[in-house]
Amino acid sequence: MAHDIVFFLAPDDETAAATYLGGPGRAFESVTCHFIEPDSTIVEWDMYFEAPSADIPPLEQLTGWPWPDEVIAPTNDGVEVFALPPRLTRALAGAGSADLAELARRWTTRLRSADGDDMTDDDLLAVLKGVARLAASAVSTGGGLYSWSF
């Protein structure tokens, strides 16, 4: 499980890849959360918007969904950078508060079932709202939405 996850805006993959060593820092607009797996989170969000359901996706469906592109592949130091799929970025940008609340509820339920007491203590709805704001900015500027994790 990644300790720190930062969702951030960058104009392109090359710029996002340059965050590898120190993270996005203050140079990039970002939202931070803790103790989640960024790749499975991105997959779950994408699945929610492409095939909406109030139910938690079965593990085999989650693992069979297309995984996010690696801008920097995971290495021995644990740092990885993923690009959120453009369709997910557009979906987050256009999501209403009811969609974000339902996704947060479903995401929380899945994390609680998987992680129990070790679940993140972040406000997951606040994280989603922040990432949705980043997505709206990415759509309007033509940039990309990325995750950096350690």
Side-chain angles (χ1 to χ4, degrees), residues 96-132:
S97 59
D99 284 329
L100 295 175
E102 178 58 25
L103 177 53
R105 184 204 59 76
R106 189 175 99 165
W107 185 28
T108 300
T109 301
R110 186 185 63 79
L111 290 175
R112 188 169 287 119
S113 72
D115 300 338
D117 292 339
D118 293 331
M119 187 180 130
T120 181
D121 58 0
D122 287 319
D123 178 341
L124 298 180
L125 179 55
V127 169
L128 273 168
K129 286 179 177 180
V131 174

Side-chain angles (χ1 to χ4, degrees), residues 8 10 14-25 28 72 79 81 146-148:
F8 67 100
E14 184 178 331
T15 304
T19 68
Y20 171 75
L21 291 177
F28 298 89
I72 295 291
V79 175
V81 179
Y146 299 88
S147 73
W148 175 94

Side-chain angles (χ1 to χ4, degrees), residues 25 32 53 107:
T32 301
S53 169
W107 185 28

